[in-house]
Every structure is written in C-alpha cells, then in structure tokens.
Amino acid sequence: MRFELLTLGGSKFAGTAASVQLTTVDGEIGILPHHESLVAQVIGGPVVVKVPGGGTEIFATFGGLLEVEKNVVRLLADEADHAEELVAEEIEAALARAKELRATAKDKHELARAQEQIDRQAVRLGVARMHRRIRPQRPTSQQ
C-alpha cells in the first residue's frame, strides 16, 4: 500500500508501506494493505511505518487527520518529526523548560501553553527512545 505523511512543511514520507501503526481518538490502530476505507482523527504519538524488506520508519506527530482509501493511507498533520532528527538530550532539556513554565504559569492560558509543550516534548522523547531501541546495531570494527 502507499503511505503519505503530509505536513504544513511538506511531505515527510511518501512510499510503499507494509503496515502503519498510529493512535486515533478511538485508540491504537494498525493498517495493513487492503484496509477498508476510513477517516479518523489522529492524536499525538508515534507513527510507525513498516516498509517492505523489514525496515521501520518512526515519526512523532501531534495530531492530524487520517484517510484510508483504495490501498492509499494518507496522514495530514500540522507537524511530524522523523525519529532520526530527534536528540533525546535536547528534548529532555525542552521538557524541563516546559515544566518550569507550567510551575510558574500566571493564568490558565500560560498553563495550557506550557502543558501543550510538555505533551509535545513527551511524544518526541518517547519516539526518540523508541528509535534508539529498535534501530539496527552497526557492527563495530575490530583491529
């Protein structure tokens, strides 16, 4: 099946997928070739794309709209970060800053913005850690 991950910044993935896993407002969903037509709201979390040949691509997304039709899966999202672009140490620092903002929020608007940043960074950190666990280990050269 064809999978497309489209953001406001452009295409993050367009190609053949053996399966796609993500989370909708109704729970986790796995999509395989020839899935029935579907439109669903996606919530923040990892999008795991298994590609033919055994590879895996992982993205952190922060919600969007999923459309499945005629063996084409399309995810429209405001933002998506590829796991390889994520640096856990930087995300942990951003998460700490967001928690500080939440602790010092002066009103409900500041509190909501801080919580949104915490949620976003938590998704990114989870994807970075997931990527670190599943990426293939490269053999080390011995001399």
Side-chain angles (χ1 to χ4, degrees):
M1 74 184 161
R2 179 164 178 78
F3 175 64
E4 299 172 354
L5 175 53
L6 306 170
T7 69
L8 295 173
S11 176
K12 292 289 187 168
F13 184 95
T16 303
S19 70
V20 177
Q21 294 175 289
L22 47 79
T23 306
T24 70
V25 294
D26 295 320
E28 279 193 41
I29 184 172
I31 302 166
L32 299 170
H34 309 292
H35 193 284
E36 68 180 52
S37 294
L38 170 72
V39 174
Q41 182 181 351
V42 175
I43 61 173
V47 174
V48 180
V49 182
K50 302 274 184 171
V51 296
T56 302
E57 301 288 335
I58 306 172
F59 299 88
T61 61
F62 311 105
L65 183 65
L66 173 70
E67 176 188 34
V68 180
E69 187 175 311
K70 296 183 181 172
N71 226 27
V72 175
V73 178
R74 187 171 294 119
L75 175 56
L76 307 173
D78 288 343
E79 281 183 59
D81 297 316
H82 193 282
E84 290 181 355
E85 301 169 350
L86 301 174
V87 178
E89 294 77 20
E90 293 174 4
I91 299 166
E92 288 167 347
L95 183 57
R97 286 191 303 273
K99 287 179 178 179
E100 278 181 35
L101 288 174
R102 181 179 63 186
T104 60
K106 294 179 177 49
D107 59 37
K108 65 182 179 181
H109 300 291
E110 286 182 11
L111 183 62
R113 279 194 299 267
Q115 188 61 51
E116 181 181 316
Q117 284 302 310
I118 290 169
D119 295 344
R120 201 172 278 269
Q121 298 307 329
V123 166
R124 295 176 81 228
L125 185 58
V127 168
R129 289 178 175 161
M130 179 187 296
H131 175 67
R132 191 170 28 198
R133 281 193 311 268
I134 69 165
R135 75 174 171 219
Q137 297 296 316
R138 294 192 175 111
T140 57
S141 60
Q142 297 180 357
Q143 296 179 357

